[in-house]
Amino acid sequence: MLEIVQIPVLSDNYVYLLHEGVSGQTAVVDPAEAEPVLAALAQRRWTLDYVLNTHHHWDHVGANPALKQATGCRVVGFRGDARRIPGIDVQLAEGDVFELGECRARVLEVPGHTLGHVAYWFEADAALFCGDTLFALGCGRLFEGTPAQMWDSLCKLRMLPDQTWVYCAHEYTLKNARFALTIEPDHPPLLERVRRVEALRAQDLPTVPSLLGEEKATNPFLRADVPELQASLGMAGAPAVEVFAELRRRRDRF
């Protein structure tokens, strides 16, 4: 069973330590800074074996070189973006399986935020590490990809089981919630979720991870093909990718 430790870094990033107890192997997902990771490892007397990168942005790969130097770990990332992943040792692509001891993660290509973005889905552990593709109540900006690419990527993630925990890489949920209310202000599941998000953030508590089933019910970016949401935008019957693109445009200006 996968033990997951959430480490807040920078202003709003989350880094994750993953530990498989039988083998004792440990990985870190998207390390922006080395010192908080090394401190968390030392506290638990764990040895770092792998870095798992979802994409090349500095706040996800910035600590790769320092962690390799300090621990001798191996860096894992997307084969198609290897030139932008510092220190990459293991190159993976869609459908490949990464093994951390007895835990197995399937690699999913999810371009949109960047052209070389991947997610790691530990099916047996109901854990999805999706970087900046899917957020709690949101999704990543389209820095490199197209709306069609991002919508396809979100649909791919939406097909995973409702019981999947979504470990995204940023604490953006409160602002995402306020934006979602501008789209579906009378959607009961969203209203209830926003109350919980506000209560957590008022106590400086994380809103991540979130359940994928709840994202499907409340995240506007996963609902671009839902008639009620389309109607709220005045886009009833429009192609889902066009609705998604309008949602993303509005969020960019929010």
Side-chain angles (χ1 to χ4, degrees):
M1 188 172 181
L2 200 62
E3 183 176 350
I4 301 169
V5 177
Q6 185 178 56
I7 307 172
V9 300
L10 303 177
S11 62
D12 53 32
N13 279 65
Y14 288 128
V15 173
Y16 300 99
L17 282 183
L18 316 181
H19 183 72
E20 196 280 308
V22 175
S23 67
Q25 287 193 341
T26 304
V28 63
V29 181
D30 284 348
E33 295 181 297
E35 286 307 318
V37 174
L38 294 171
L41 290 165
Q43 180 183 355
R44 294 163 178 82
R45 299 184 180 180
W46 292 348
T47 299
L48 188 65
D49 299 285
Y50 296 101
V51 169
L52 301 182
N53 289 138
T54 62
H55 64 293
H56 73 87
H57 284 162
W58 71 270
D59 60 332
H60 295 254
V61 304
N64 285 13
L67 290 175
K68 282 191 74 170
Q69 183 175 11
T71 70
C73 66
R74 305 183 76 199
V75 173
V76 180
F78 177 45
R79 179 182 306 142
D81 211 14
R83 64 183 176 84
R84 297 196 290 182
I85 305 293
I88 192 169
D89 301 295
V90 181
Q91 300 184 25
L92 300 175
E94 173 77 27
D96 286 344
V97 173
F98 169 77
E99 296 184 353
L100 183 70
E102 297 188 358
C103 294
R104 295 163 58 86
R106 184 168 297 278
V107 177
L108 306 173
E109 292 183 23
V110 285
H113 180 65
T114 68
L115 292 177
H117 203 301
V118 295
Y120 301 91
W121 177 39
F122 289 83
E123 180 178 6
D125 300 278
L128 172 69
F129 297 90
C130 53
D132 288 357
T133 296
L134 175 63
F135 293 132
L137 286 170
C139 76
R141 285 179 178 265
L142 305 184
F143 286 118
E144 297 176 4
T146 66
Q149 286 175 313
M150 185 61 123
W151 175 242
D152 286 346
S153 294
L154 293 174
C155 287
K156 181 185 291 187
L157 298 182
R158 191 174 66 171
M159 292 174 62
L160 301 181
D162 286 0
Q163 299 83 1
T164 303
W165 288 101
V166 178
Y167 291 87
C168 67
H170 290 277
E171 183 57 71
Y172 291 162
T173 316
L174 185 57
K175 188 169 184 180
N176 288 340
R178 291 170 177 165
F179 170 74
L181 285 174
T182 70
I183 306 300
E184 295 188 287
D186 302 314
H187 184 45
L190 176 61
L191 292 169
E192 194 278 329
R193 186 175 182 191
V194 171
R195 283 192 291 269
R196 285 189 281 116
V197 167
E198 290 175 339
L200 287 169
R201 295 311 295 155
Q203 301 174 71
D204 199 30
L205 294 174
T207 63
V208 177
S210 60
L211 275 173
L212 185 57
E214 189 165 42
E215 295 302 329
K216 295 176 188 181
T218 58
N219 187 329
F221 295 99
L222 295 183
R223 292 169 52 79
D225 54 357
V226 174
E228 291 80 4
L229 183 142
Q230 293 186 345
S232 73
L233 290 175
M235 299 181 70
V241 67
E242 294 181 11
V243 177
F244 169 78
E246 177 62 20
L247 287 168
R248 189 60 255 179
R249 279 192 292 270
R250 293 189 185 199
R251 178 64 179 87
D252 289 346
R253 298 193 300 264
F254 184 73

